[in-house]
Coordinates of all heavy atoms in Angstrom, one line a residue:
M1 N -33.9 16.4 -20.0 CA -33.0 16.8 -18.9 C -33.2 15.9 -17.7 O -32.3 15.6 -17.0 CB -33.3 18.3 -18.6 CG -32.3 18.8 -17.6 SD -30.7 18.9 -18.3 CE -29.8 19.8 -17.0
N2 N -34.5 15.6 -17.4 CA -34.8 14.7 -16.3 C -34.2 13.4 -16.4 O -33.7 12.8 -15.5 CB -36.3 14.7 -16.1 CG -36.7 14.1 -14.8 OD1 -35.9 14.0 -13.9 ND2 -38.0 13.7 -14.7
E3 N -34.2 12.8 -17.7 CA -33.7 11.5 -17.9 C -32.2 11.5 -17.7 O -31.6 10.5 -17.2 CB -34.0 11.0 -19.3 CG -33.6 9.6 -19.6 CD -33.9 9.2 -21.1 OE1 -34.9 9.7 -21.6 OE2 -33.2 8.4 -21.6
L4 N -31.5 12.6 -18.1 CA -30.1 12.7 -18.0 C -29.7 12.7 -16.5 O -28.7 12.1 -16.1 CB -29.6 14.0 -18.7 CG -28.1 14.2 -18.8 CD1 -27.4 13.1 -19.5 CD2 -27.8 15.5 -19.4
M5 N -30.4 13.5 -15.7 CA -30.1 13.5 -14.2 C -30.4 12.1 -13.6 O -29.6 11.7 -12.7 CB -31.0 14.6 -13.6 CG -30.6 16.0 -13.9 SD -28.9 16.3 -13.3 CE -29.2 16.4 -11.6
S6 N -31.4 11.4 -14.1 CA -31.7 10.1 -13.5 C -30.5 9.2 -13.9 O -30.1 8.4 -13.0 CB -33.0 9.6 -14.1 OG -33.2 8.3 -13.7
Q7 N -30.0 9.2 -15.1 CA -28.9 8.4 -15.5 C -27.6 8.8 -14.6 O -26.8 7.9 -14.2 CB -28.6 8.5 -17.0 CG -29.6 7.9 -17.8 CD -29.2 8.1 -19.3 OE1 -28.4 8.9 -19.7 NE2 -29.9 7.3 -20.2
A8 N -27.4 10.1 -14.4 CA -26.3 10.5 -13.6 C -26.3 10.0 -12.2 O -25.3 9.5 -11.6 CB -26.2 12.0 -13.6
V9 N -27.5 10.0 -11.6 CA -27.7 9.5 -10.2 C -27.5 8.0 -10.2 O -26.8 7.5 -9.3 CB -29.1 10.0 -9.7 CG1 -29.4 9.2 -8.4 CG2 -29.1 11.5 -9.5
D10 N -28.0 7.3 -11.2 CA -27.8 5.9 -11.2 C -26.3 5.5 -11.4 O -25.8 4.6 -10.7 CB -28.6 5.3 -12.4 CG -30.1 5.3 -12.2 OD1 -30.5 5.5 -11.0 OD2 -30.8 5.1 -13.2
L11 N -25.6 6.2 -12.2 CA -24.2 6.0 -12.4 C -23.4 6.3 -11.1 O -22.5 5.6 -10.7 CB -23.7 6.8 -13.6 CG -22.2 6.6 -13.9 CD1 -22.0 5.2 -14.3 CD2 -21.8 7.6 -15.0
M12 N -23.8 7.4 -10.4 CA -23.1 7.8 -9.2 C -23.4 6.7 -8.1 O -22.4 6.3 -7.4 CB -23.7 9.1 -8.7 CG -23.0 9.5 -7.3 SD -23.8 11.0 -6.7 CE -25.4 10.4 -6.2
I13 N -24.6 6.2 -8.0 CA -24.9 5.2 -7.0 C -24.2 3.9 -7.3 O -23.6 3.2 -6.4 CB -26.4 5.0 -6.9 CG1 -27.1 6.2 -6.2 CG2 -26.7 3.7 -6.1 CD1 -28.6 6.2 -6.2
A14 N -24.1 3.5 -8.6 CA -23.4 2.3 -9.0 C -21.9 2.4 -8.7 O -21.3 1.5 -8.2 CB -23.6 2.0 -10.5
G15 N -21.3 3.6 -9.0 CA -19.9 3.8 -8.7 C -19.6 3.7 -7.3 O -18.6 3.1 -6.8
M16 N -20.4 4.4 -6.5 CA -20.2 4.4 -5.0 C -20.4 3.1 -4.4 O -19.7 2.6 -3.5 CB -21.0 5.5 -4.3 CG -20.7 6.9 -4.7 SD -21.8 8.1 -4.0 CE -21.3 8.1 -2.3
G17 N -21.4 2.3 -4.9 CA -21.6 1.0 -4.5 C -20.4 0.1 -4.8 O -20.0 -0.8 -4.0
F18 N -19.9 0.2 -6.0 CA -18.8 -0.6 -6.4 C -17.6 -0.3 -5.5 O -16.9 -1.3 -5.0 CB -18.4 -0.3 -7.9 CG -17.2 -1.1 -8.3 CD1 -17.3 -2.5 -8.6 CD2 -16.0 -0.5 -8.4 CE1 -16.2 -3.2 -9.0 CE2 -14.8 -1.2 -8.9 CZ -15.0 -2.5 -9.2
V19 N -17.3 0.9 -5.2 CA -16.2 1.3 -4.3 C -16.4 0.8 -2.9 O -15.5 0.2 -2.3 CB -16.0 2.8 -4.3 CG1 -15.0 3.2 -3.2 CG2 -15.5 3.3 -5.7
F20 N -17.6 0.9 -2.4 CA -17.9 0.4 -1.1 C -17.7 -1.1 -1.0 O -17.1 -1.7 -0.1 CB -19.3 0.7 -0.7 CG -19.7 0.2 0.6 CD1 -19.3 0.8 1.8 CD2 -20.6 -0.9 0.8 CE1 -19.6 0.4 3.0 CE2 -20.9 -1.4 2.0 CZ -20.5 -0.8 3.2
V21 N -18.2 -1.9 -2.0 CA -18.0 -3.3 -2.0 C -16.6 -3.7 -2.1 O -16.1 -4.6 -1.4 CB -18.9 -4.0 -3.2 CG1 -18.5 -5.4 -3.4 CG2 -20.3 -3.8 -2.9
F22 N -15.8 -3.0 -3.0 CA -14.4 -3.3 -3.1 C -13.7 -3.0 -1.8 O -12.8 -3.8 -1.4 CB -13.8 -2.4 -4.2 CG -12.3 -2.5 -4.3 CD1 -11.7 -3.6 -4.9 CD2 -11.5 -1.6 -3.7 CE1 -10.4 -3.8 -5.0 CE2 -10.1 -1.7 -3.8 CZ -9.5 -2.8 -4.5
L23 N -14.0 -2.0 -1.1 CA -13.3 -1.7 0.2 C -13.7 -2.7 1.3 O -12.8 -3.1 2.1 CB -13.6 -0.3 0.7 CG -13.0 0.9 -0.2 CD1 -13.5 2.2 0.3 CD2 -11.5 0.8 -0.1
V24 N -14.9 -3.2 1.3 CA -15.3 -4.2 2.2 C -14.5 -5.5 2.0 O -14.0 -6.1 2.9 CB -16.8 -4.4 2.2 CG1 -17.2 -5.7 2.9 CG2 -17.6 -3.2 2.8
I25 N -14.4 -5.9 0.7 CA -13.7 -7.1 0.3 C -12.2 -6.9 0.7 O -11.6 -7.8 1.2 CB -13.8 -7.4 -1.2 CG1 -15.3 -7.8 -1.5 CG2 -12.8 -8.4 -1.7 CD1 -15.6 -7.9 -3.0
L26 N -11.7 -5.7 0.5 CA -10.3 -5.4 0.8 C -10.0 -5.6 2.3 O -9.0 -6.1 2.7 CB -9.9 -4.0 0.4 CG -8.4 -3.6 0.5 CD1 -7.5 -4.5 -0.3 CD2 -8.3 -2.2 0.2
V27 N -10.9 -5.1 3.1 CA -10.8 -5.2 4.6 C -10.8 -6.7 5.0 O -9.9 -7.1 5.8 CB -11.9 -4.4 5.3 CG1 -12.0 -4.8 6.8 CG2 -11.7 -3.0 5.2
F28 N -11.7 -7.5 4.5 CA -11.8 -8.9 4.8 C -10.6 -9.6 4.3 O -10.0 -10.5 5.0 CB -13.1 -9.5 4.3 CG -14.3 -9.2 5.2 CD1 -15.3 -8.5 4.6 CD2 -14.3 -9.6 6.5 CE1 -16.4 -8.1 5.4 CE2 -15.4 -9.3 7.3 CZ -16.5 -8.5 6.7
A29 N -10.1 -9.3 3.1 CA -8.9 -10.0 2.6 C -7.7 -9.7 3.4 O -6.9 -10.5 3.6 CB -8.7 -9.6 1.1
T30 N -7.5 -8.4 3.8 CA -6.4 -8.0 4.6 C -6.4 -8.8 6.0 O -5.4 -9.3 6.4 CB -6.4 -6.5 4.8 OG1 -6.4 -5.9 3.6 CG2 -5.1 -6.1 5.6
G31 N -7.6 -8.8 6.6 CA -7.7 -9.6 7.9 C -7.4 -11.0 7.7 O -6.7 -11.6 8.5
F32 N -7.9 -11.6 6.6 CA -7.6 -13.0 6.3 C -6.1 -13.3 6.1 O -5.6 -14.3 6.7 CB -8.5 -13.5 5.1 CG -8.3 -14.9 4.7 CD1 -8.7 -15.9 5.6 CD2 -7.6 -15.3 3.6 CE1 -8.6 -17.3 5.2 CE2 -7.5 -16.6 3.2 CZ -7.9 -17.6 4.0
M33 N -5.5 -12.4 5.4 CA -4.1 -12.6 5.1 C -3.3 -12.4 6.4 O -2.3 -13.1 6.6 CB -3.6 -11.6 4.1 CG -4.0 -11.9 2.7 SD -3.3 -10.9 1.4 CE -3.9 -9.3 1.8
S34 N -3.7 -11.5 7.3 CA -3.0 -11.4 8.5 C -3.1 -12.6 9.4 O -2.1 -13.0 10.0 CB -3.6 -10.2 9.3 OG -3.4 -9.0 8.6
K35 N -4.3 -13.2 9.4 CA -4.4 -14.5 10.2 C -3.6 -15.6 9.6 O -3.0 -16.4 10.4 CB -5.9 -14.9 10.2 CG -6.7 -13.9 11.1 CD -8.2 -14.4 11.2 CE -8.9 -13.4 12.0 NZ -10.4 -13.7 12.1
I36 N -3.5 -15.7 8.3 CA -2.7 -16.7 7.7 C -1.2 -16.5 8.0 O -0.5 -17.4 8.4 CB -2.9 -16.7 6.1 CG1 -4.3 -17.3 5.8 CG2 -1.8 -17.5 5.4 CD1 -4.6 -17.2 4.3
I37 N -0.8 -15.3 7.9 CA 0.7 -15.0 8.2 C 1.0 -15.3 9.7 O 2.0 -15.9 10.0 CB 1.0 -13.5 7.8 CG1 1.0 -13.4 6.3 CG2 2.3 -13.1 8.4 CD1 1.2 -12.0 5.8
L38 N 0.1 -14.9 10.6 CA 0.3 -15.2 12.0 C 0.4 -16.7 12.3 O 1.1 -17.1 13.2 CB -0.7 -14.5 12.9 CG -0.6 -13.0 13.0 CD1 -1.8 -12.4 13.7 CD2 0.7 -12.6 13.6
R39 N -0.4 -17.4 11.6 CA -0.5 -18.9 11.8 C 0.8 -19.6 11.3 O 1.3 -20.5 11.9 CB -1.7 -19.5 11.1 CG -1.8 -21.0 11.4 CD -3.1 -21.5 10.8 NE -4.2 -21.0 11.5 CZ -5.5 -21.1 11.2 NH1 -5.8 -21.7 10.0 NH2 -6.5 -20.5 11.9
F40 N 1.2 -19.2 10.1 CA 2.3 -20.0 9.4 C 3.7 -19.3 9.5 O 4.7 -19.9 9.2 CB 2.0 -20.2 7.9 CG 0.8 -21.0 7.7 CD1 -0.4 -20.5 7.2 CD2 0.8 -22.4 8.1 CE1 -1.5 -21.3 7.0 CE2 -0.3 -23.2 8.0 CZ -1.4 -22.7 7.4
A41 N 3.8 -18.1 10.0 CA 5.0 -17.4 10.1 C 5.8 -17.9 11.3 O 5.2 -18.3 12.3 CB 4.8 -15.9 10.3
P42 N 7.1 -18.0 11.2 CA 7.9 -18.4 12.4 C 7.8 -17.4 13.5 O 7.6 -16.2 13.2 CB 9.3 -18.5 11.8 CG 9.4 -17.6 10.7 CD 8.0 -17.6 10.1
P43 N 7.9 -17.8 14.7 CA 7.8 -16.9 15.8 C 8.9 -15.9 15.8 O 10.0 -16.2 15.4 CB 7.8 -17.8 17.1 CG 8.5 -19.0 16.6 CD 8.1 -19.2 15.2
E44 N 8.6 -14.7 16.3 CA 9.7 -13.7 16.4 C 10.7 -14.1 17.4 O 10.4 -14.6 18.5 CB 9.1 -12.4 16.8 CG 8.1 -11.8 15.8 CD 7.6 -10.4 16.2 OE1 8.3 -9.8 17.0 OE2 6.6 -10.0 15.6
P45 N 12.0 -13.8 17.1 CA 13.0 -14.2 18.1 C 12.9 -13.3 19.3 O 12.4 -12.1 19.2 CB 14.3 -13.8 17.4 CG 13.9 -12.9 16.3 CD 12.5 -13.2 15.9
A46 N 13.2 -13.8 20.5 CA 13.1 -13.1 21.7 C 14.2 -11.9 21.7 O 15.3 -12.1 21.3 CB 13.4 -14.0 22.9
T47 N 13.7 -10.8 22.1 CA 14.6 -9.6 22.1 C 15.5 -9.7 23.4 O 14.9 -10.0 24.4 CB 13.9 -8.3 22.0 OG1 12.9 -8.3 23.1 CG2 13.1 -8.2 20.7
P48 N 16.7 -9.4 23.3 CA 17.6 -9.5 24.5 C 17.2 -8.3 25.4 O 16.7 -7.3 25.0 CB 19.0 -9.3 23.9 CG 18.8 -8.6 22.6 CD 17.5 -9.1 22.1
A49 N 17.4 -8.5 26.7 CA 17.1 -7.5 27.7 C 18.0 -6.3 27.4 O 19.2 -6.4 27.0 CB 17.3 -8.1 29.1
R50 N 17.5 -5.2 27.6 CA 18.2 -4.0 27.4 C 19.3 -3.8 28.5 O 19.0 -3.9 29.7 CB 17.3 -2.7 27.4 CG 16.5 -2.6 26.2 CD 15.8 -1.3 26.1 NE 15.3 -1.1 24.8 CZ 14.8 0.1 24.4 NH1 14.9 1.1 25.2 NH2 14.4 0.2 23.2
T51 N 20.4 -3.5 28.1 CA 21.5 -3.2 29.0 C 21.7 -1.7 29.0 O 21.7 -1.1 27.9 CB 22.8 -3.9 28.7 OG1 23.2 -3.5 27.3 CG2 22.6 -5.4 28.7
P52 N 22.0 -1.1 30.2 CA 22.2 0.4 30.2 C 23.4 0.7 29.4 O 24.5 0.1 29.5 CB 22.3 0.7 31.6 CG 22.6 -0.6 32.3 CD 22.1 -1.7 31.5
R53 N 23.3 1.7 28.6 CA 24.4 2.2 27.8 C 25.4 3.0 28.6 O 25.0 3.7 29.6 CB 24.0 3.0 26.6 CG 23.2 2.2 25.6 CD 22.9 3.1 24.4 NE 22.1 2.3 23.4 CZ 21.7 2.8 22.3 NH1 21.9 4.1 22.0 NH2 21.0 2.1 21.5
A54 N 26.6 2.9 28.3 CA 27.6 3.7 29.0 C 27.4 5.2 28.6 O 27.1 5.6 27.5 CB 29.0 3.3 28.5
K55 N 27.5 6.0 29.6 CA 27.3 7.5 29.4 C 28.5 8.0 28.6 O 29.6 7.6 28.8 CB 27.2 8.2 30.8 CG 26.0 7.8 31.5 CD 25.9 8.6 32.8 CE 24.6 8.2 33.6 NZ 24.5 8.9 34.8
P56 N 28.2 8.9 27.7 CA 29.3 9.5 26.9 C 30.2 10.3 27.8 O 29.8 10.9 28.8 CB 28.6 10.4 25.9 CG 27.2 10.6 26.4 CD 26.9 9.5 27.3
K57 N 31.5 10.2 27.5 CA 32.5 10.9 28.3 C 32.4 12.4 27.9 O 31.9 12.8 26.9 CB 33.9 10.4 27.9 CG 34.1 8.9 28.3 CD 35.4 8.5 27.9 CE 35.6 7.0 28.3 NZ 36.9 6.5 27.9
A58 N 32.9 13.2 28.8 CA 32.9 14.6 28.6 C 33.8 14.9 27.4 O 34.8 14.3 27.1 CB 33.5 15.3 29.8
P59 N 33.4 15.9 26.6 CA 34.2 16.2 25.4 C 35.6 16.7 25.8 O 35.8 17.4 26.8 CB 33.4 17.3 24.7 CG 32.5 17.9 25.7 CD 32.3 16.8 26.7
T60 N 36.5 16.3 24.9 CA 37.9 16.8 25.2 C 38.0 18.3 24.9 O 37.2 18.8 24.1 CB 38.9 16.0 24.3 OG1 38.5 16.2 22.9 CG2 38.8 14.5 24.6
S61 N 38.9 18.9 25.5 CA 39.0 20.4 25.3 C 39.5 20.6 23.9 O 40.3 19.9 23.3 CB 40.0 21.0 26.3 OG 41.3 20.4 26.1
V62 N 39.0 21.8 23.3 CA 39.4 22.2 22.0 C 40.6 23.1 22.1 O 40.6 24.0 22.9 CB 38.2 22.9 21.3 CG1 38.6 23.3 19.9 CG2 37.0 22.0 21.3
D63 N 41.6 22.9 21.2 CA 42.8 23.8 21.3 C 42.4 25.2 20.9 O 41.4 25.4 20.2 CB 43.9 23.2 20.4 CG 43.5 23.2 18.9 OD1 42.5 22.5 18.6 OD2 44.2 23.9 18.1
P64 N 43.1 26.2 21.4 CA 42.7 27.6 21.1 C 42.7 28.0 19.7 O 41.8 28.8 19.3 CB 43.8 28.4 21.8 CG 44.4 27.4 22.8 CD 44.2 26.0 22.2
D65 N 43.5 27.4 18.8 CA 43.5 27.8 17.4 C 42.1 27.3 16.7 O 41.5 28.1 16.0 CB 44.6 27.1 16.6 CG 46.0 27.7 17.1 OD1 46.0 28.8 17.5 OD2 47.0 27.0 16.9
T66 N 41.7 26.1 17.1 CA 40.4 25.6 16.6 C 39.3 26.5 17.1 O 38.3 26.8 16.3 CB 40.2 24.2 16.9 OG1 41.3 23.4 16.5 CG2 38.9 23.6 16.3
A67 N 39.3 26.8 18.4 CA 38.2 27.7 18.9 C 38.2 29.0 18.2 O 37.1 29.5 17.9 CB 38.4 27.8 20.4
E68 N 39.3 29.6 18.0 CA 39.4 30.9 17.3 C 38.8 30.8 15.9 O 38.1 31.6 15.4 CB 40.8 31.4 17.3 CG 40.9 32.8 16.8 CD 40.2 33.8 17.7 OE1 40.1 33.6 18.9 OE2 39.7 34.8 17.2
A69 N 39.1 29.7 15.2 CA 38.6 29.5 13.8 C 37.1 29.3 13.8 O 36.4 29.8 12.9 CB 39.3 28.3 13.2
I70 N 36.6 28.6 14.8 CA 35.2 28.5 14.9 C 34.5 29.8 15.2 O 33.5 30.2 14.5 CB 34.8 27.4 16.0 CG1 35.3 26.0 15.6 CG2 33.3 27.5 16.3 CD1 35.2 25.0 16.7
K71 N 35.1 30.6 16.0 CA 34.5 31.9 16.3 C 34.5 32.8 15.1 O 33.5 33.5 14.8 CB 35.3 32.6 17.4 CG 35.1 32.0 18.8 CD 35.9 32.7 19.8 CE 35.8 32.0 21.2 NZ 36.7 32.7 22.2
K72 N 35.6 32.8 14.3 CA 35.6 33.6 13.1 C 34.6 33.1 12.1 O 34.0 33.9 11.4 CB 37.0 33.6 12.5 CG 38.0 34.4 13.3 CD 39.4 34.3 12.6 CE 40.4 35.1 13.5 NZ 41.7 35.1 12.9
A73 N 34.4 31.8 11.9 CA 33.5 31.2 11.0 C 32.0 31.6 11.4 O 31.2 32.0 10.5 CB 33.6 29.7 10.9
I74 N 31.7 31.6 12.7 CA 30.4 32.0 13.1 C 30.2 33.5 12.9 O 29.1 33.9 12.4 CB 30.2 31.7 14.6 CG1 30.2 30.2 14.8 CG2 29.0 32.3 15.2 CD1 30.2 29.7 16.3
A75 N 31.2 34.3 13.1 CA 31.0 35.7 12.9 C 30.8 36.0 11.4 O 30.0 36.9 11.0 CB 32.3 36.5 13.4
Q76 N 31.6 35.3 10.6 CA 31.5 35.5 9.1 C 30.1 35.1 8.6 O 29.5 35.8 7.8 CB 32.6 34.7 8.4 CG 32.6 34.9 6.9 CD 33.7 34.1 6.3 OE1 34.3 33.2 6.9 NE2 34.0 34.4 5.0
Y77 N 29.6 34.0 9.1 CA 28.3 33.5 8.7 C 27.2 34.5 9.2 O 26.3 34.8 8.4 CB 28.0 32.1 9.4 CG 26.6 31.6 9.1 CD1 26.3 30.9 7.9 CD2 25.6 31.8 10.1 CE1 25.0 30.5 7.7 CE2 24.3 31.4 9.8 CZ 24.0 30.7 8.6 OH 22.7 30.2 8.4
R78 N 27.3 35.0 10.4 CA 26.3 35.9 10.9 C 26.3 37.2 10.1 O 25.3 37.9 9.9 CB 26.5 36.2 12.4 CG 26.1 35.0 13.2 CD 26.2 35.3 14.7 NE 25.7 34.2 15.5 CZ 26.0 34.0 16.7 NH1 26.7 34.9 17.4 NH2 25.5 32.9 17.4
A79 N 27.5 37.7 9.7 CA 27.6 38.9 8.9 C 27.0 38.7 7.5 O 26.4 39.6 7.0 CB 29.1 39.3 8.7
R80 N 27.1 37.5 6.9 CA 26.6 37.3 5.6 C 25.0 37.1 5.6 O 24.3 37.5 4.7 CB 27.2 36.1 5.0 CG 28.5 36.3 4.5 CD 29.0 35.0 3.7 NE 30.4 35.2 3.3 CZ 31.2 34.2 2.9 NH1 30.7 33.0 2.8 NH2 32.4 34.4 2.5
H81 N 24.5 36.5 6.7 CA 23.1 36.2 6.8 C 22.4 37.1 7.8 O 21.5 36.7 8.5 CB 22.9 34.7 7.2 CG 23.5 33.8 6.2 ND1 24.8 33.4 6.2 CD2 22.9 33.2 5.1 CE1 25.0 32.5 5.2 NE2 23.8 32.4 4.5
K82 N 22.7 38.3 7.8 CA 22.0 39.3 8.7 C 20.6 39.6 8.1 O 20.4 39.7 6.9 CB 22.8 40.6 8.7 CG 22.9 41.2 10.0 CD 23.9 42.4 10.0 CE 24.3 42.7 11.4 NZ 25.1 43.9 11.4
K83 N 19.7 39.7 9.0 CA 18.3 40.0 8.6 C 18.0 41.4 8.7 O 18.4 42.2 9.4 CB 17.3 39.2 9.5 CG 17.4 37.7 9.1 CD 16.3 37.0 9.8 CE 16.3 35.5 9.5 NZ 15.2 34.8 10.1

């Protein structure tokens, strides 16, 4: 039993060590690739200055028939979905 636990601990340490080494290599590789891309990539185009957007106009008035249809639809929805 003692030998089995020793093998299990060895395997666990080897696995965790492999993952740690892989992640360290991954961090360095990602940093290296970022530096390469920044060096050889074309510069980003200049963004144009922001111009203020026109304010939306006030909504046009709704005709009475449409308003009545909306009111009936809301009432019907509330009647069906009552808690």
Side-chain angles (χ1 to χ4, degrees):
M1 186 68 173
N2 193 15
E3 184 180 330
L4 186 62
M5 288 298 287
S6 174
Q7 287 178 347
V9 169
D10 289 344
L11 183 62
M12 179 186 69
I13 291 172
M16 292 176 75
F18 179 76
V19 169
F20 179 76
V21 169
F22 175 77
L23 291 175
V24 167
I25 291 171
L26 184 66
V27 166
F28 283 116
T30 305
F32 180 67
M33 287 188 297
S34 295
K35 288 181 182 178
I36 288 175
I37 289 175
L38 288 175
R39 180 176 294 169
F40 295 115
E44 292 184 22
T47 56
R50 287 189 167 193
T51 56
R53 293 185 179 180
K55 292 184 180 178
K57 296 179 181 178
T60 58
S61 63
V62 179
D63 64 300
D65 292 335
T66 305
E68 190 62 34
I70 292 171
K71 287 178 187 177
K72 287 182 182 179
I74 291 172
Q76 185 179 14
Y77 176 83
R78 287 182 178 165
R80 285 185 185 169
H81 296 88
K82 220 174 198 182
K83 288 188 177 183

